[in-house]
Amino acid sequence: MISNRDVHNEGRNMDIKMNMYKILHLFRVSNFTEDFIKFVNNNFIENTHEFWIYGDREASNPRIEISLYRNVRYIHCIEEKLKSKELYTYDKIIYHGAFEQTIINVFFLKRRLLKRLYIRIWGGDKFLAGNNFQIYMKKYVISNAHALIYIIPEEKQFMKKNYSIKGKQYCALYNLHGIFEKCDIARRMPQRKKDYIAIQLGNSATPSNNHILIMKKLLKFKEENIKIFAPLSYGDNEYADKVIKVGKELFAEKFVGLTDFMTIDKYNEFMNQIDIALFGIKRQQALANIMALLYFGKKVYLRKGSIVEHYFKTECNCNIETLEEIDGMNFHEFINFEEEKAITNEKNMTQLSQLESIKETWNVIFNERLD
């Protein structure tokens, strides 16, 4: 005799079989690559996931060992690989960070694949650059992809305004639990004694950080016991040189430009030593930096009215200061940060990183039926 429960389970098993997909992830090597590979391999077994990773392995993440993962391949020339017929063997293709015009070109030419394509927007990749035809191709691919995946909901408005989005739209975080586990390692390291207020300025050598604008705001605190650290190992080298030149002119030895690459562990140790962090960004950028700093209980200043400020204040309910407020602050107000606010920020980041919640959003994407 067959029970209702057996019928239900049989139906559920049929659904799982019907929803099984062969999924390809295109992922440039970055600080998030290995964490995401582990996250997928440890939590999603109903589908077949494969990763084609590309980019400078040594410069971006020297610790990653491709041979440890059965479903990861390092592709030296990704645009050539994408031209092969193998691409058509995958049911879904998730392109993480649409920065490469050469990859966009492939999907523009292989338009049949757009109905299988999910594009994970990282932030800077939403902007258009190049000649008119390159801009047209990128707009076409993004507009006609099956779905877009954002990190924060605030990105939807920008994409709606600048692209005629025809596909579905999702929001999904990467595995923050892995990021915060690394932060906890840094927390267990002994704090170095320092006799100054440590200030982090931006996260990379990109003009969108508006380093010079912020330095001018901080100039009134020049005689205070401060030291400004600007991470500049990623991005535009010429811009990094300009920031360092101005920083030294304004603050002399109190300005330190960090141009050497740091491993994740070393960078987390660095952020844990920071007291205040300032980001002059308007667009989605430096989210992992900001999340880690809030988790560490640091005072964070963001640009008023930016989508990042709105996200952390409104969506995450964090205590965020705005750069515009600095003009009316004295030094005590600038550096003071109540312990209660720091604790609230840490709790909210911990809540945001709940593995089950992050798994749920990716599960919807991985198991969504394709028409």
Side-chain angles (χ1 to χ4, degrees), residues 103-154:
I103 294 179
I104 292 293
N105 296 349
V106 170
F107 287 111
F108 179 80
L109 294 172
K110 296 186 174 186
R111 300 185 192 184
R112 281 195 300 150
L113 290 172
L114 292 178
K115 62 184 180 181
R116 312 180 196 183
L117 180 64
Y118 294 69
I119 300 178
R120 168 68 142 128
I121 299 295
W122 278 20
D125 51 338
K126 70 186 180 186
F127 297 106
L128 297 166
N131 59 44
N132 288 340
F133 190 54
Q134 288 173 327
I135 289 172
Y136 170 74
M137 285 192 288
K138 186 165 185 176
K139 289 188 82 166
Y140 184 90
V141 169
I142 290 178
S143 299
N144 290 278
H146 174 77
L148 299 182
I149 308 169
Y150 309 115
I151 299 175
I152 61 176
E154 284 76 2

Side-chain angles (χ1 to χ4, degrees), residues 9 49 103 106 121 129 217 317:
N9 287 338
H49 292 267
I103 294 179
V106 170
I121 299 295
K217 286 184 177 291
N317 298 311

Side-chain angles (χ1 to χ4, degrees), residues 41-146:
N41 287 347
N42 291 338
N43 294 286
F44 302 97
I45 59 173
E46 66 272 22
N47 295 302
T48 301
H49 292 267
E50 294 186 23
F51 294 84
W52 291 359
I53 68 171
Y54 54 93
D56 192 338
R57 257 195 300 177
E58 294 305 315
S60 299
N61 197 338
R63 295 180 300 106
I64 190 168
E65 269 300 336
I66 304 302
S67 59
L68 297 177
Y69 305 99
R70 57 173 178 73
N71 59 339
V72 178
R73 280 190 276 173
Y74 179 72
I75 311 297
H76 289 277
C77 189
I78 188 65
E79 56 269 27
E80 290 301 317
K81 182 65 175 176
L82 291 174
K83 291 176 184 177
S84 69
K85 293 181 180 179
E86 188 177 353
L87 201 59
Y88 290 96
T89 66
Y90 295 93
D91 302 301
K92 296 184 178 186
I93 303 166
I94 302 179
Y95 178 21
H96 297 258
F99 292 100
E100 293 78 18
Q101 184 65 46
T102 51
I103 294 179
I104 292 293
N105 296 349
V106 170
F107 287 111
F108 179 80
L109 294 172
K110 296 186 174 186
R111 300 185 192 184
R112 281 195 300 150
L113 290 172
L114 292 178
K115 62 184 180 181
R116 312 180 196 183
L117 180 64
Y118 294 69
I119 300 178
R120 168 68 142 128
I121 299 295
W122 278 20
D125 51 338
K126 70 186 180 186
F127 297 106
L128 297 166
N131 59 44
N132 288 340
F133 190 54
Q134 288 173 327
I135 289 172
Y136 170 74
M137 285 192 288
K138 186 165 185 176
K139 289 188 82 166
Y140 184 90
V141 169
I142 290 178
S143 299
N144 290 278
H146 174 77

Side-chain angles (χ1 to χ4, degrees), residues 189-300:
M189 301 293 289
Q191 284 271 5
R192 294 191 300 271
K193 290 183 179 180
K194 61 183 194 297
D195 57 357
Y196 55 84
I197 298 297
I199 300 171
Q200 178 177 337
L201 179 54
N203 75 306
S204 63
T206 54
S208 55
N209 275 280
N210 288 289
H211 294 86
I212 295 171
L213 171 70
I214 299 175
M215 282 192 279
K216 289 178 179 178
K217 286 184 177 291
L218 299 181
L219 193 56
K220 64 180 181 177
F221 304 135
K222 179 180 180 179
E223 302 306 320
E224 303 290 349
N225 206 6
I226 62 172
K227 188 169 281 191
I228 300 171
F229 298 89
L232 299 167
S233 58
Y234 289 102
D236 184 335
N237 290 335
E238 287 186 16
Y239 177 74
D241 291 340
K242 180 181 178 182
V243 170
I244 292 170
K245 182 175 182 291
V246 174
K248 291 296 184 183
E249 287 174 354
L250 295 179
F251 296 96
E253 74 283 353
K254 292 183 178 181
F255 178 88
V256 180
L258 303 172
T259 55
D260 292 334
F261 171 79
M262 285 187 271
T263 64
I264 299 260
D265 292 338
K266 287 294 182 185
Y267 193 67
N268 282 333
E269 286 181 44
F270 158 73
M271 286 193 292
N272 196 34
Q273 301 287 337
I274 289 296
D275 299 298
I276 297 167
L278 305 99
F279 298 89
I281 52 179
K282 290 183 178 179
R283 62 176 172 85
Q284 177 183 296
Q285 184 180 343
L287 293 187
N289 272 247
I290 297 168
M291 289 172 177
L293 288 159
L294 293 171
Y295 184 71
F296 282 134
K298 311 303 181 180
K299 189 173 188 179
V300 175

Side-chain angles (χ1 to χ4, degrees), residues 140-183:
Y140 184 90
V141 169
I142 290 178
S143 299
N144 290 278
H146 174 77
L148 299 182
I149 308 169
Y150 309 115
I151 299 175
I152 61 176
E154 284 76 2
E155 290 286 29
K156 290 182 180 180
Q157 189 62 33
F158 179 93
M159 299 304 289
K160 181 179 179 181
K161 180 180 178 181
N162 293 277
Y163 295 84
S164 300
I165 305 300
K166 298 173 184 174
K168 297 183 179 182
Q169 298 183 83
Y170 297 99
C171 288
L173 292 168
Y174 285 140
N175 180 20
L176 298 178
H177 185 69
I179 293 174
F180 294 152
E181 278 184 340
K182 292 183 175 70
C183 290

Side-chain angles (χ1 to χ4, degrees), residues 9-38:
N9 287 338
E10 184 179 349
R12 183 175 179 275
N13 291 334
M14 287 179 63
D15 284 342
I16 290 174
K17 289 177 182 177
M18 290 176 66
N19 282 347
M20 283 190 67
Y21 295 108
K22 187 179 179 183
I23 301 173
L24 173 65
H25 296 267
L26 303 176
F27 213 130
R28 180 169 53 168
V29 178
S30 73
N31 291 333
F32 307 106
T33 309
E34 191 167 23
D35 277 346
F36 188 73
I37 291 168
K38 289 178 179 177

